[in-house]
Amino acid sequence: MSEPYQKSEGERLAKRVAALQACSRAEAERLIEGGWVRVDGRVADDPAQRVLDEMIEIDARGLGETLLPATLLWHKPVGLALAEGQPLAGLVEPEGLLRPWHVKHLRCASPMPAACSGLAVFAQSPGVQRKLHEDALLLEHEWMLDLAGAVAASRLEALEQAVDQLAPGPRTPYLKLSVSSRSDERTRLRLALKGYAPERLPSWLAQAGLKPQALQRLRLGRVALGPVEASGWRLLGMHERF
């Protein structure tokens, strides 16, 4: 025999905030999702959270704030793979202009293997997500590659000849390879690529006998990561376009 339905205790946080602030339920939800409400001293960003007699604090700075979709550029560290559509939540904490609402809804629009680091894009706007998905094979990606020792020109020629291994289909990827610096201790390369599959980069290099000390994406389309430290982030500027 099934147990009788029992209504959850307390009331929705959004309803309580609306009553305390004398505002609409929609305004209350915006305050909560913006990270402007604390329950017993802790930020609460779920409007459906049930509350009883907890202390509710509402930060006046959130009054009148408009939450707009954002695009976040994250400096992904080595060791973490990113899949398309992966949430930002758990990777970055809300701070400043980046509100809990953004973190909850931002999704990865630039898949990346664990062995790589650098520019990763998390988009909230369907338009930006669609642009990066539909134009994935048309956008140019710039990578910086650090290799131990002075790499011979023949190794680099072999790398260029095997560029077809990067293709996700029958088309040949575009590759422009240049040597930024070369010494007995290190060779630094820059790769400009189009029409390739990022997840194939590590195996493509390995098959050419190259073991990179660093493989970092610097730019996607016309947008560069810039001086952002590993695990750091910045928001896409108003005038920046991929």
Side-chain angles (χ1 to χ4, degrees):
M1 181 176 177
S2 61
E3 296 183 359
Y5 170 76
Q6 293 183 345
K7 186 177 180 180
S8 299
E9 293 185 352
E11 61 182 345
R12 283 170 54 95
L13 179 58
K15 182 178 180 180
R16 179 74 61 83
V17 170
L20 292 172
Q21 196 59 39
C23 64
S24 68
R25 192 75 61 85
E27 175 74 4
E29 291 183 355
R30 184 188 60 75
L31 284 167
I32 296 165
E33 292 182 329
W36 300 110
V37 175
R38 291 179 177 270
V39 176
D40 281 348
R42 300 184 64 178
V43 173
D45 58 11
D46 182 5
Q49 178 178 333
R50 313 296 295 192
V51 292
L52 287 169
D53 55 357
E54 294 91 340
M55 178 182 292
I56 311 297
E57 301 172 82
I58 303 169
D59 193 327
R61 291 177 297 173
L63 300 175
E65 180 194 50
T66 300
L67 291 171
L68 298 175
T71 298
L72 181 137
L73 310 179
W74 187 46
H75 188 156
K76 186 191 88 66
V78 173
L80 171 71
L82 291 178
E84 185 165 359
Q86 183 173 333
L88 179 64
L91 302 176
V92 169
E93 294 297 323
E95 178 186 351
L97 296 175
L98 187 68
R99 309 307 303 168
W101 177 74
H102 294 120
V103 174
K104 185 182 294 185
H105 295 288
L106 281 163
R107 296 290 183 271
C108 179
S110 57
M112 213 169 174
C116 301
S117 65
L119 174 59
V121 180
F122 286 80
Q124 195 170 2
S125 163
V128 175
Q129 292 174 344
R130 186 167 55 251
K131 166 76 175 176
L132 293 178
H133 178 75
E134 294 179 354
D135 293 351
L137 298 180
L138 303 176
L139 291 171
E140 183 176 272
H141 296 216
E142 182 180 354
W143 292 84
M144 183 274 291
L145 174 61
D146 271 355
L147 299 163
V151 179
S154 58
R155 283 280 186 91
L156 302 183
E157 290 173 3
L159 198 62
E160 291 179 310
Q161 291 171 3
V163 70
D164 285 349
Q165 297 174 10
L166 286 173
R171 62 185 294 173
T172 299
Y174 165 83
L175 167 66
K176 181 179 180 181
L177 187 155
S178 60
V179 179
S180 293
S181 62
R182 179 185 284 151
S183 68
D184 291 340
E185 292 75 31
R186 186 182 71 173
T187 299
R188 172 167 286 185
L189 308 177
R190 282 184 181 263
L191 310 176
L193 284 160
K194 287 184 184 179
Y196 76 111
E199 65 272 14
R200 299 190 183 192
L201 271 174
S203 60
W204 173 62
L205 293 167
Q207 288 174 15
L210 299 175
K211 297 180 180 181
Q213 296 178 325
L215 180 55
Q216 181 179 348
R217 182 158 54 194
L218 306 175
R219 174 175 57 83
L220 204 168
R222 291 176 289 178
V223 174
L225 177 61
V228 178
E229 295 182 358
S231 299
W233 58 270
R234 72 176 182 87
L235 295 179
L236 185 72
M238 184 181 298
H239 303 294
E240 291 183 288
R241 298 289 185 275
F242 289 99

